[in-house]
Amino acid sequence: GRSSYVLRPRALRGRLTPLAQSGTPLDQAKALPPMDLNEDNVNRALEEAKDMLGTIFGNSAENRNIGITGDVELVDIDGPFITVRLVGRFWHKRVDVLARVQNYVLTRIPEAIELQIEDPSQLDDTSVEGGYKISKEDGSAGKAGR
């Protein structure tokens, strides 16, 4: 009969992955209680973002060993605006790093309306300090084995 098509909650118990271990970083941020806008909470949200988005930052020995040293630091809070600094080298484009950190932090701290960069030059992926400086010598991967 029709009852064979009804999901039985008892059959699902024990099979669900806790939210803290599944979903996107944004899903995980939404599952946590919102925080008030203050310096301690912004620093906490930035640390959480670095953990959740771990592979894009230099916060593990594995990443630092391959030259990924990127970090995001709080510079200032002015009303609902948070200003951050990007330092080091990132695996991803700096503008994408900033967007992903902003999505996470604004989800955790609903009072904040914008996460802005301290200086637009910090979004330049071609600077030696900040990104991927690709020289002609680095482009030799296609010549391997010839």
Side-chain angles (χ1 to χ4, degrees):
R2 294 186 100 172
S3 63
S4 63
Y5 296 104
V6 174
L7 284 177
R8 289 173 175 55
R10 200 175 293 156
L12 297 174
R13 281 191 197 139
R15 293 187 193 175
L16 299 176
T17 306
L19 190 57
Q21 297 173 8
S22 67
T24 67
L26 206 52
D27 291 337
Q28 295 178 43
K30 289 176 185 173
L32 297 168
M35 297 189 291
D36 292 331
L37 177 57
N38 62 49
E39 187 174 342
D40 288 342
N41 286 342
V42 171
N43 280 317
R44 181 175 164 197
L46 289 173
E47 288 304 314
E48 288 175 6
K50 287 188 267 189
D51 287 342
M52 298 281 183
L53 305 169
T55 58
I56 65 176
F57 293 101
N59 58 348
S60 72
E62 185 179 26
N63 283 2
R64 287 189 300 274
N65 287 342
I66 59 170
I68 305 303
T69 58
D71 197 6
V72 58
E73 303 167 349
L74 174 62
V75 174
D76 187 37
I77 300 170
D78 183 12
F81 301 98
I82 300 168
T83 303
V84 295
R85 174 183 302 127
L86 292 180
V87 295
R89 292 178 184 259
F90 293 91
W91 189 262
H92 299 277
K93 289 182 193 172
R94 290 165 151 279
V95 69
D96 294 340
V97 171
L98 183 65
R100 292 180 74 183
V101 170
Q102 174 174 276
N103 285 341
Y104 187 89
V105 171
L106 298 189
T107 299
R108 290 292 281 126
I109 305 175
E111 263 180 274
I113 60 172
E114 187 180 5
L115 190 90
Q116 47 200 16
I117 193 76
E118 176 187 39
D119 184 321
S121 70
Q122 294 170 13
L123 296 177
D124 182 0
D125 291 314
T126 61
S127 70
V128 177
E129 186 278 329
Y132 336 101
K133 181 87 173 177
I134 299 172
S135 66
K136 291 178 183 171
E137 295 82 40
D138 293 338
S140 61
K143 298 177 184 166
R146 286 190 186 165

